[in-house]
């Protein structure tokens, strides 16, 4: 999503805020409940959250930089881990065709409401994807709604906001374009959790 910020202090403040939010949600059993609803055992929860949070600062280069073009990267916490979890849920039988249809719906709508912001990246209203993903999941696969909602919310946002706007992202300025960047909870991961809770 947003481009990697070169400023250190806002990044530190953001990580501190995310850590506090994560602790609060864990204490309230919100995240635990959400992940249990999609079929992830609670004993793996902390490891998954830690990997996602720490991975939000890790951008893996995908293509060599040419001339002054931005470096194309994929964010570990905001793209790789949520995508891996979505693939796991699909492999476990989370209503595959219904999930893919819900992903397409979310991706189309997110793409239409996404707005490029110079030196920041692609911004999307945080409520759009979760509401769409949850609604589509409840309509298309009510018996598997939480898992379908997670897959649709995360992959739909990733495709609609980032992958379909790579050309736009490259023109927004900054040294690198990070697919799923700016942290785990900024759009993709939070969207997945909210979609599950709503479903």
């Amino acid at each position: 999503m947003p481009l990697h910020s070169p400023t250190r202090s806002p990044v530190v403040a953001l990580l501190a805020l995310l850590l506090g939010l994560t602790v609060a949600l864990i204490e309230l059993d919100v995240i635990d409940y959400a992940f249990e609803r999609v079929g992830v055992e609670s004993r793996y929860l902390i490891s998954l959250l830690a990997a996602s949070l720490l991975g939000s600062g890790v951008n893996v280069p995908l293509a060599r930089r040419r001339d002054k073009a931005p470096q194309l990267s994929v964010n570990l916490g905001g793209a790789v881990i949520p995508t891996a979890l979505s693939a796991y849920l699909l492999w476990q039988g989370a209503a595959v065709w219904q999930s893919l249809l819900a992903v397409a719906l979310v991706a189309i709508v997110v793409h239409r409401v996404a707005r490029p912001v110079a030196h920041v990246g692609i911004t999307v209203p945080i409520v759009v994807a979760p509401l769409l993903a949850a609604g589509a999941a409840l309509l298309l696969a009510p018996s598997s709604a939480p898992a379908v909602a997670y897959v649709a919310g995360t992959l739909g946002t990733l495709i609609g906001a980032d992958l379909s706007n790579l050309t736009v992202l490259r023109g927004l300025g900054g040294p690198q374009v990070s697919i799923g960047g700016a942290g785990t909870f900024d759009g993709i991961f939070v969207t997945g959790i909210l979609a599950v809770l709503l479903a």
Side-chain angles (χ1 to χ4, degrees):
M1 297 257 273
L3 300 175
H4 179 69
S5 171
T7 308
R8 185 177 180 81
S9 55
V11 174
V12 173
L14 177 61
L15 288 176
L17 177 64
L18 293 178
L19 180 59
L21 176 64
T22 303
V23 171
L25 292 176
I26 289 174
E27 287 297 318
L28 294 171
D29 290 330
V30 172
I31 295 180
D32 194 11
Y33 172 78
F35 275 84
E36 284 185 354
R37 291 285 290 158
V38 298
V40 177
E41 295 183 29
S42 58
R43 59 180 173 162
Y44 300 123
L45 176 64
I46 299 299
S47 297
L48 186 59
L49 288 174
S52 299
L53 184 58
L54 294 174
S56 67
V58 178
N59 292 305
V60 181
L62 292 179
R64 290 185 177 182
R65 190 172 177 174
R66 296 180 179 178
D67 300 324
K68 295 183 179 180
Q71 172 71 60
L72 178 62
S73 304
V74 61
N75 188 268
L76 181 61
V80 177
I81 292 175
T83 299
L85 179 54
S86 295
Y88 169 78
L89 294 174
L90 291 172
W91 179 65
Q92 289 292 322
V96 176
W97 291 111
Q98 293 90 330
S99 295
L100 296 178
L101 183 58
V103 167
L105 174 65
V106 173
I108 291 169
V109 175
V110 166
H111 180 74
R112 293 183 64 87
V113 301
R115 294 292 178 266
V117 178
H119 302 291
V120 175
I122 303 296
T123 62
V124 179
I126 191 123
V127 297
V128 173
L131 288 174
L132 273 173
L138 289 169
L139 181 64
L140 297 172
S143 62
S144 305
V148 173
Y150 181 87
V151 172
T154 54
L155 295 186
T157 301
L158 192 61
I159 294 168
D162 282 357
L163 296 180
S164 64
N165 284 301
L166 283 180
T167 304
V168 176
L169 280 169
R170 287 179 181 275
L172 292 179
Q176 100 176 310
V177 172
S178 178
I179 299 170
T184 302
F185 296 89
D186 77 315
I188 295 171
F189 206 76
V190 163
T191 292
I193 293 175
L194 289 178
V196 171
L197 293 174
L198 289 170

